[in-house]
Amino acid sequence: MCRRAGRDDRASSWYHRGYGLSVRADDRKEVLRALTGYGALLKDMGEYDEARRYYEKAATRAAYTGRCREAAVARHYLLGLEAEVGTFARAQRHASLALRLYPIRDRQMPALVHDWAFLLVRQRNYTS
């Protein structure tokens, strides 16, 4: 709610609190939600390097714990971040990883393809 209300400072502290509590409770799903939520907050604040760090941490942790879909979602978020920043090589890496991790009939697959196409157009790569 803090994030929606534009209270980024408060939202930040809640994400940190949520992360700590979920680690202590060994709730892997909530750990990933805290990491990706905080990454999204940082991205919205323009802290791209820091956001990238939290998304990477979420993707790595999800893959390590066997949560392939959650790892794919984190990679998809990284693709979106790189598309916004304009770093094509990194975006290509994250798109490829997300494509490998998503289940083939996942409901997010069309969104992944759309985001990849958006990046190609943004890079003026119309041939691909």
Side-chain angles (χ1 to χ4, degrees), residues 4 8 25 28 30 43 59 74 78 81 93 104-105 110 123:
R4 283 188 220 130
D8 294 342
R28 293 175 178 166
E30 291 302 319
K43 182 181 83 102
L78 278 159
L81 184 144
R93 180 176 157 265
I104 194 68
R105 298 199 192 289
Q123 293 288 319

Side-chain angles (χ1 to χ4, degrees), residues 16-35:
H16 284 287
R17 238 180 245 146
Y19 175 76
L21 289 170
S22 57
V23 166
R24 261 187 266 144
D26 198 30
D27 188 342
R28 293 175 178 166
K29 182 180 177 184
E30 291 302 319
V31 168
L32 297 174
R33 287 183 67 190
L35 290 171

Side-chain angles (χ1 to χ4, degrees), residues 43 48 52 78-92 116 118-124:
K43 182 181 83 102
Y48 297 118
R52 192 177 287 121
L78 278 159
L79 166 63
L81 184 144
E82 302 303 347
E84 214 171 287
V85 174
T87 49
F88 183 76
R90 285 182 181 172
Q92 186 175 10
W116 176 247
F118 169 76
L119 178 70
L120 291 175
V121 169
R122 185 142 190 227
Q123 293 288 319
R124 294 187 172 94

Side-chain angles (χ1 to χ4, degrees), residues 24-68:
R24 261 187 266 144
D26 198 30
D27 188 342
R28 293 175 178 166
K29 182 180 177 184
E30 291 302 319
V31 168
L32 297 174
R33 287 183 67 190
L35 290 171
T36 55
Y38 191 53
L41 174 68
L42 290 167
K43 182 181 83 102
D44 292 346
M45 291 169 51
E47 301 287 334
Y48 297 118
D49 291 333
E50 209 49 27
R52 192 177 287 121
R53 200 181 87 165
Y54 279 90
Y55 282 147
E56 285 280 358
K57 189 173 180 178
T60 303
R61 191 176 192 122
Y64 181 75
T65 58
R67 296 173 172 272
C68 291

